[in-house]
Amino acid sequence: MVEWITSDAPVDYLTAVAEMEARATAIAEGRAGEAIWLLEHPPLYTAGTSANPRDLRDPDRFPVYDTRRGGQYTYHGPGQRVVYVMLDVGQRGRDVRAFVAALEAWAIGALAEFGVTGETRPGRVGVWVARPEKPPLPDGTPREDKIAAIGVRLRRWVSFHGLSLNVDPDLSHFDGIVPCGISGHGVTSLVDLGLPVTMDDADLALRRSFLKTF
């Protein structure tokens, strides 16, 4: 059984990292069960192991944290559901790529409950939404906006960090970085797409989709 934990108040980033690392260690040692932690952070940027310093456009805007998860720069803040996954990947097939694909499918399934078609793209980890109503990129490429980001780390085959789903964050806060190192395409949220989705709605969809995916 996976334990679901929900924090109502914003959680300090370093506090969250310490707690999920401790839980991941306990899972690996057989002292605790798997857990999924739903929370929000105060506004901040994080730099993954592949982050390019040039992608941090406004280093003084919000606190910036180096993190050992995979990926590049991401933003976290109010209105974004952060989902930290402390799961035993060793007991779930020991296939990191399949695990990341399952995280993407999990987010896509949750979006589908609101009538949103989330999609993946080769070479771009995360979940994207086509925006045909927006002008294409200068090279003619159709516009797509990112709605969910994914970045995980494994230690002793137990995962931590996870994914973030944009429910209703301040999208202007993403302007201080090149999100995930991808220029041109933008960022969206459920509310930006015209859907009056609350955080509770998103949490219920995530729970249902998890059961179908994992």
Side-chain angles (χ1 to χ4, degrees), residues 169-194:
D170 185 336
L171 296 179
S172 71
H173 289 179
F174 287 87
D175 295 343
I177 58 172
V178 178
C180 302
I182 298 171
S183 299
H185 296 290
V187 180
T188 190
S189 69
L190 287 165
V191 172
D192 180 56
L193 293 171

Side-chain angles (χ1 to χ4, degrees), residues 48-98:
T49 54
S50 302
N52 185 332
R54 291 177 296 180
D55 290 341
L56 182 59
R57 293 169 167 166
D58 191 353
D60 299 321
R61 187 170 188 180
F62 298 125
V64 182
Y65 297 95
D66 288 324
T67 179
R68 288 170 287 181
R69 60 154 176 81
Q72 303 185 49
Y73 280 105
T74 59
Y75 164 78
H76 295 311
Q80 181 191 71
R81 178 49 90 208
V82 175
V83 187
Y84 286 139
V85 292
M86 291 147 281
L87 299 176
D88 189 344
V89 181
Q91 297 296 319
R92 294 175 179 271
R94 291 196 172 219
D95 187 328
V96 177
R97 289 190 178 185

